């Protein structure tokens, strides 16, 4: 609202400044100031943070545009609360910062972060140099900048990221540092996706001769007939490009074949984008921490690995060598002794296969197939005739993830039919009526993919699961074929019939 008319503007500013200065003290947000003053009841940090954020919001509304003069005092603790692990605190901080944006002339939170990035990065870098363990709030501010900032802040936070990498390389409390790296990897994925230009909005430069290009008919020629200026511009660009090619060719001839080969080699290996370079550096550090003894840290590293893969999917030159390096360490996580880690690892494998495709086909068939088949077969007996409580166990979640992987891996990697058949046999027990309904449904979905890829082979397999309705030969000259039925094949009839409809 409007400030009271009885209070002079300078006096109001001085009063609000004293309030903001008091709230900017780090100890206030942890409740230390209240206890130091003799409070008998320790204040709950989450509630206290929300109350302080509401107070700053009120100050912003009272001061309006003038709060911009105090923003440097308040922006660091506000960004710290924005990166808070509590959803209540971070959501309140987000609302406060949006109020600051609306009253101080910022079009968005991204713009506020970009314009104040120098001040924020200076504090973060200084505190990271003295040790992240001594100043964990610096990591919260950095995570908030990465989560809500735009790609324009990337050059500004480079020094802070380097400090983060250095601390991790020195093995300084990795459990504290890896959440920040996960946020960094997620930010590179977001920035990479935002920098993509839709194919429909780009116009390819002319590559052929003017005659070849102009001869191509257009279905809407009358409506899209080029103007005289467009035709003139086209010929002008064409001749300029030809002249540049001629000059480049003459320069290569003067410098000799070695220089031409060097130029061609350099042009064949474009420099990675800054976001891709960061993703590569994070991915390299994933290799060393995938074998961490702490399950929570392994989960965080796997999440980070998945984000890095998604970020580098458009740059195979950078992606494939890094996947080759991380593969041996990652492979062990597929058989992790902690089921929740194994579930996450199989999910990351799906991302890896989606972005690498044929590059991983032989590795998956040789090294992943036996693990996948062995896990499916060993867990099938545990879920058979299980009660409803089994659906809440980690083994159930692992089984469901494994069954989801079957169809996706075969489709993305274009696996041979003979290799698919081994996997299909391992899935058969999950078509039994003794299995939980969710597992049967997931298994049917994956096997439907195999049916679509090789209907004849899958038809023969599914016929063995039926206890009746043996198919009659289409002609009397053909002898009936006797299928070797599975034990207790009557338990598979319903699922087998449903799958045979797709054959």
């Amino acid at each position: 609202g409007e400030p009271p008319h009885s209070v002079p503007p300078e006096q109001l500013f001085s009063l609000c400044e004293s309030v903001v200065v008091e709230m900017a003290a780090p100890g206030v947000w942890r409740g230390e100031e209240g206890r130091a003053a003799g409070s008998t009841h320790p204040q709950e940090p989450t509630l206290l943070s929300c109350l302080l954020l509401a107070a700053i919001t009120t100050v912003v509304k009272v001061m309006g545009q003038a709060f911009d003069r105090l923003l440097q005092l308040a922006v660091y603790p506000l960004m710290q609360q924005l990166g808070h692990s509590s959803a209540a605190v971070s959501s309140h901080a987000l609302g406060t910062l949006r109020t600051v944006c609306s009253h101080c002339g910022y079009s968005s939170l991204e713009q506020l972060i970009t314009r104040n990035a120098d001040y924020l990065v200076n504090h973060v870098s200084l505190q990271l140099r003295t040790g992240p363990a001594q100043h964990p709030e610096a990591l919260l501010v950095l995570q908030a900048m990465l989560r809500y900032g735009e790609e324009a802040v990337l050059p500004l936070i480079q020094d802070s990221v380097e400090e983060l990498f250095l601390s991790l390389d020195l093995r300084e409390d990795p459990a504290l540092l890896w959440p920040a790296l996960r946020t960094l990897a997620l930010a590179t994925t977001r920035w990479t996706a935002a920098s993509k230009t839709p194919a429909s909005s780009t116009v390819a430069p002319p590559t052929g001769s003017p005659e070849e290009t102009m001869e191509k008919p257009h279905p809407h020629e009358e409506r899209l007939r080029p103007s005289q200026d467009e035709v003139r511009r086209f010929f002008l660009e064409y001749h300029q490009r030809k002249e540049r090619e001629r000059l480049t060719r003459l320069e290569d001839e003067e410098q000799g074949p070695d220089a031409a080969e060097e130029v061609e080699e350099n042009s064949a290996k474009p420099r990675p984008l800054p976001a891709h370079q960061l993703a590569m550096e994070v991915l390299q550090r994933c290799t060393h921490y995938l074998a961490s003894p702490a399950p929570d840290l392994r989960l965080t590293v796997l999440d980070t690995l998945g984000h890095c893969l998604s970020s580098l999917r458009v740059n195979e030159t950078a992606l494939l060598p890094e996947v080759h390096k991380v593969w041996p360490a990652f492979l062990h996580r597929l058989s992790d002794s902690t089921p929740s880690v194994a579930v996450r690892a199989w999910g990351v494998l799906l991302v890896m296969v989606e972005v690498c495709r044929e590059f991983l086909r032989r590795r998956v068939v040789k090294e992943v197939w036996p693990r996948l088949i062995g896990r499916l077969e060993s867990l099938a007996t545990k879920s058979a005739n299980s009660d409803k409580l089994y659906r809440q166990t980690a083994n159930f979640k692992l089984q469901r993830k494994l069954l989801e992987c079957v169809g996706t891996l075969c489709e993305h990697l274009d696996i041979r039919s003979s290799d698919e058949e081994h996997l299909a046999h391992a899935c058969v027990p999950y078509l039994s009526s003794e299995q939980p309904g969710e597992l049967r449904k997931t298994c049917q979905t994956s096997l439907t993919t195999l049916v679509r890829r090789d209907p004849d082979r899958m038809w023969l397999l599914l016929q063995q699961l039926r206890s009746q309705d043996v198919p009659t030969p289409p002609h009397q000259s053909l002898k009936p074929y006797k299928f070797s039925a599975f034990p207790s094949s009557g338990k598979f009839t319903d699922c087998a019939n449903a799958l045979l409809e797709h054959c």
Side-chain angles (χ1 to χ4, degrees):
E2 293 293 330
H5 295 288
S6 58
V7 181
E10 289 302 322
Q11 184 179 349
L12 178 64
F13 179 85
S14 177
L15 178 62
C16 292
E17 183 181 19
S18 62
V19 173
V20 173
V21 169
E22 182 69 22
M23 292 182 178
V28 173
W29 297 89
R30 294 192 292 266
E32 296 173 0
E33 300 294 334
R35 289 194 292 273
S39 174
T40 57
H41 301 285
Q43 304 180 62
E44 211 283 324
T46 299
L47 178 59
L48 177 62
S49 297
C50 293
L51 292 173
L52 290 172
L53 289 167
I56 293 180
T57 302
T58 303
V59 171
V60 173
K61 292 179 179 179
V62 169
M63 294 188 67
Q65 181 72 31
F67 185 81
D68 196 37
R69 295 162 58 187
L70 302 177
L71 186 56
Q72 280 200 351
L73 292 173
V75 68
Y76 192 86
L78 287 178
M79 292 295 293
Q80 177 185 337
Q81 301 308 310
L82 185 61
H84 202 283
S85 58
S86 169
V89 175
S90 61
S91 62
H92 274 74
L94 183 60
T96 301
L97 284 165
R98 285 176 174 167
T99 303
V100 172
C101 291
S102 63
H103 285 77
C104 295
Y106 295 100
S107 61
S108 63
L109 179 57
E110 291 83 356
Q111 187 185 65
L112 184 148
I113 293 174
T114 301
R115 290 189 181 179
N116 295 274
D118 288 337
Y119 171 79
L120 292 170
V121 167
N122 182 51
H123 277 260
V124 170
S125 297
L126 288 175
Q127 293 186 341
L128 287 180
R129 288 193 189 106
T130 59
Q134 287 74 28
H135 299 283
E137 67 274 4
L139 293 174
L140 296 179
V141 175
L142 181 59
Q143 289 183 69
M145 294 181 67
L146 292 169
R147 185 175 293 116
Y148 295 97
E150 55 190 359
E151 192 173 3
V153 304
L154 188 54
L156 301 174
I157 65 172
Q158 189 67 39
D159 291 341
S160 299
V161 172
E162 292 298 333
E163 292 290 342
L164 192 63
F165 287 154
L166 179 60
S167 299
L168 189 67
D169 294 341
L170 295 175
R171 305 278 174 167
E172 294 183 5
D173 200 356
L176 184 65
L177 298 172
W178 268 103
L181 287 181
R182 176 176 57 189
T183 306
L184 173 60
L186 183 58
T188 62
T189 304
R190 190 179 74 252
W191 294 333
T192 301
S195 63
K196 289 182 183 179
T197 304
S200 58
S201 63
T202 59
V203 179
T207 56
S209 65
E211 293 81 5
E212 293 172 344
T213 307
M214 297 298 291
E215 284 177 1
K216 294 179 180 178
H218 197 283
H220 306 287
E221 185 175 357
E222 293 298 327
R223 184 167 56 88
L224 300 177
R225 185 182 298 277
S227 65
Q228 184 177 358
D229 290 339
E230 291 174 338
V231 173
R232 182 169 56 82
R233 194 182 312 116
F234 171 82
F235 279 98
L236 180 62
E237 292 176 356
Y238 173 77
H239 286 295
Q240 288 176 346
R241 189 180 70 257
K242 287 295 184 182
E243 182 65 16
R244 287 194 299 268
E245 292 176 356
R246 186 182 68 82
L247 294 175
T248 303
R249 188 165 55 252
L250 290 175
E251 186 178 354
D252 292 342
E253 292 175 357
E254 292 176 0
Q255 294 178 352
D258 294 338
E261 290 177 4
E262 183 178 353
V263 172
E264 183 178 354
E265 182 179 354
N266 292 336
S267 61
K269 294 182 179 180
R271 184 178 180 84
L273 296 174
H276 290 170
Q277 186 63 43
L278 282 178
M280 290 170 61
E281 294 194 37
V282 176
L283 188 54
Q284 290 167 5
R285 287 162 175 81
C286 290
T287 305
H288 307 296
Y289 285 91
L290 281 170
S292 169
D296 290 342
L297 183 56
R298 296 201 299 273
L299 286 170
T300 304
V301 175
L302 285 169
D303 280 343
T304 308
L305 174 59
H307 295 320
C308 290
L309 294 171
S310 299
S311 177
L312 292 172
R313 68 191 309 158
V314 297
N315 188 352
E316 285 192 352
T317 305
L319 170 68
L320 299 184
E322 298 303 329
V323 170
H324 172 74
K325 295 175 186 176
V326 79
W327 178 259
F330 170 74
L331 190 62
H332 292 291
R333 301 283 66 80
L334 298 176
S335 303
D336 198 282
S337 57
T338 304
S340 59
V341 177
V343 171
R344 194 74 53 87
W346 285 98
V348 173
L349 177 65
L350 294 182
V351 178
M352 192 179 292
V353 165
E354 182 182 357
V355 299
C356 296
R357 299 280 176 164
E358 295 83 1
F359 179 75
L360 288 178
R361 182 188 295 125
R362 291 183 61 185
R363 299 173 190 241
V364 169
V365 173
K366 181 180 178 180
E367 299 173 287
V368 176
W369 241 231
R371 298 170 188 262
L372 180 55
I373 293 174
R375 275 292 183 100
L376 286 172
E377 292 177 345
S378 63
L379 292 173
T381 56
K382 296 182 178 181
S383 57
N385 296 314
S386 59
D387 54 18
K388 292 183 178 180
L389 292 178
Y390 183 79
R391 293 166 174 78
Q392 310 301 323
T393 63
N395 280 335
F396 175 83
K397 298 175 183 177
L398 177 58
Q399 285 174 290
R400 189 165 57 186
K401 176 59 68 175
L402 294 175
L403 291 170
E404 289 174 359
C405 289
V406 171
T408 306
L409 291 177
C410 291
E411 193 164 28
H412 284 334
L413 297 177
D414 195 19
I415 302 297
R416 294 182 306 176
S417 296
S418 57
D419 295 320
E420 288 182 357
E421 186 175 10
H422 296 304
L423 200 55
H425 277 275
C427 293
V428 164
Y430 293 94
L431 297 176
S432 170
S433 58
E434 297 176 346
Q435 296 287 342
E438 293 90 337
L439 296 183
R440 290 202 310 272
K441 185 177 180 180
T442 305
C443 183
Q444 280 186 248
T445 302
S446 291
L447 289 182
T448 300
T449 303
L450 303 190
V451 168
R452 186 173 63 251
R453 290 174 50 79
D454 191 349
D456 294 337
R457 189 184 294 267
M458 290 300 299
W459 183 85
L460 288 172
L461 174 63
L462 293 170
Q463 286 294 343
Q464 301 176 46
L465 303 178
R466 304 173 66 183
S467 59
Q468 54 187 0
D469 299 331
V470 178
T472 305
H475 193 270
Q476 59 183 3
S477 62
L478 300 175
K479 295 182 179 180
Y481 180 82
K482 186 175 182 180
F483 293 93
S484 54
F486 276 73
S488 305
S489 57
K491 301 175 183 178
F492 306 99
T493 303
D494 293 340
C495 292
N497 288 335
L499 288 168
L500 282 170
E501 293 178 359
H502 297 279
C503 292

